[in-house]
C-alpha cells in the first residue's frame, strides 16, 4: 500500500500518518527535517515529533530519501515530510534563484523510486498541501509552493490512497 497524507501546517497530518501504522512493528520513520542553526522553535517542533514516535520504530534522519526508497530496509516506511525534503533539495541544488523545474529530475527520481517499491512494502508519505493559501509575497515562497504542488499532484497519481487532513479530520481523496 502506498498512502499520501496531505494537510496544512498543524493540521494533524503527521499524527494521522503515525496512527495508521500504530499496529506495525517493522517501521522505518524517515524524518526529513533538519534543525536550522539558531532556530529554537523549529528544533522544538522536531523534538515534539521525536517524542511522539512509537518506541518500536527505527528513525532515519540522515539518509538520502531516494536511497532508502530504492532499497527499503523495513517492511513499512513512514516519510515525514516532503516539504522539508523539497526545501533541502532546493538548498542542495542552490535552486532558490534558478528557474522552476531545476530540481524536477530529483522529484521524478523520487516518483520512480516509489513506483518501483516492492508490493510487500507499505509506504506512508506526509506532505504539506500548499495550494490553499495566499500567493506568497517572496519568490522563494512561490517557488516552494509551485515545486511541492507539482510533486504532490504527481505523487497522488501513483499512490493507492490519498487523504487530506484538515483540523485533525481525515478526508479520503483517493481510495
Amino acid at each position: 500500500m502506498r498512502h499520501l497524507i496531505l494537510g496544512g501546517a498543524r493540521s494533524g497530518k503527521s499524527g494521522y500518518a503515525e496512527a495508521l501504522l500504530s499496529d506495525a512493528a517493522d517501521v522505518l520513520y524517515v524524518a526529513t527535517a533538519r534543525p536550522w542553526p539558531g532556530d529554537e522553535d523549529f528544533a522544538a517542533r522536531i523534538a515534539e515529533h521525536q517524542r511522539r514516535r512509537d518506541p518500536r520504530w527505527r528513525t532515519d534522519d540522515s539518509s538520502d530519501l531516494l536511497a532508502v526508497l530504492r532499497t527499503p530496509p523495513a517492511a513499512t516506511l513512514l516519510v515525514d515530510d516532503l516539504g522539508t525534503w523539497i526545501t533541502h533539495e532546493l538548498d542542495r541544488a542552490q535552486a532558490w534563484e534558478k528557474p522552476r523545474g531545476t530540481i524536477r529530475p530529483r522529484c521524478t527520481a523520487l516518483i520512480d523510486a516509489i513506483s518501483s517499491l516492492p508490493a510487500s512494502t507499505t509506504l506512508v508519505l506526509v506532505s504539506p498541501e500548499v495550494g490553499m493559501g495566499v500567493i506568497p509575497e517572496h519568490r522563494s515562497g512561490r517557488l516552494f509552493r509551485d515545486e511541492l504542488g507539482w510533486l504532490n499532484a504527481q505523487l497522488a497519481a501513483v499512490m493507492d490512497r490519498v487523504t487530506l487532513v484538515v483540523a485533525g479530520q481525515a478526508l479520503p481523496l483517493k481510495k
Side-chain angles (χ1 to χ4, degrees):
M1 188 223 2
R2 293 168 182 81
H3 195 156
L4 176 62
I5 312 297
L6 299 168
R10 297 296 206 205
S11 63
K13 62 189 177 295
S14 295
Y16 177 78
E18 292 162 5
L20 284 176
L21 302 175
S22 62
D23 292 335
D26 186 22
V27 175
L28 178 65
Y29 194 113
V30 182
T32 62
R34 307 288 180 271
W36 303 105
D39 190 339
E40 296 304 316
D41 180 61
F42 196 61
R45 289 177 76 122
I46 292 171
E48 176 187 332
H49 277 253
Q50 291 169 335
R51 278 190 301 276
R52 195 176 63 216
R53 284 183 204 140
D54 189 314
R56 297 174 298 160
W57 299 351
R58 292 176 288 143
T59 298
D60 183 337
D61 60 3
S62 62
S63 292
D64 175 13
L65 177 57
L66 294 178
V68 171
L69 291 170
R70 287 179 180 137
T71 311
T76 302
L77 302 174
L78 171 56
V79 178
D80 193 4
D81 80 21
L82 292 180
T84 50
W85 178 80
I86 212 163
T87 297
H88 294 299
E89 289 298 314
L90 287 163
D91 285 346
R92 187 186 60 76
Q94 299 178 339
W96 290 104
E97 298 300 325
K98 292 181 181 175
R100 283 165 177 72
T102 298
I103 62 166
R104 193 71 39 91
R106 288 285 288 178
C107 292
T108 300
L110 176 74
I111 295 162
D112 291 344
I114 289 167
S115 297
S116 298
L117 278 171
S120 60
T121 303
T122 297
L123 172 66
V124 176
L125 288 174
V126 178
S127 188
E129 171 49 51
V130 292
M132 298 175 138
V134 298
I135 296 173
E137 178 181 353
H138 300 284
R139 183 187 188 285
S140 58
R142 292 188 299 272
L143 175 69
F144 173 83
R145 179 206 54 199
D146 293 351
E147 296 291 346
L148 187 55
W150 179 88
L151 180 59
N152 284 344
Q154 301 307 306
L155 285 170
V158 300
M159 301 300 276
D160 301 314
R161 292 177 156 183
V162 179
T163 301
L164 176 65
V165 179
V166 178
Q169 303 302 303
L171 304 167
L173 302 177
K174 180 180 178 182
K175 291 184 181 183

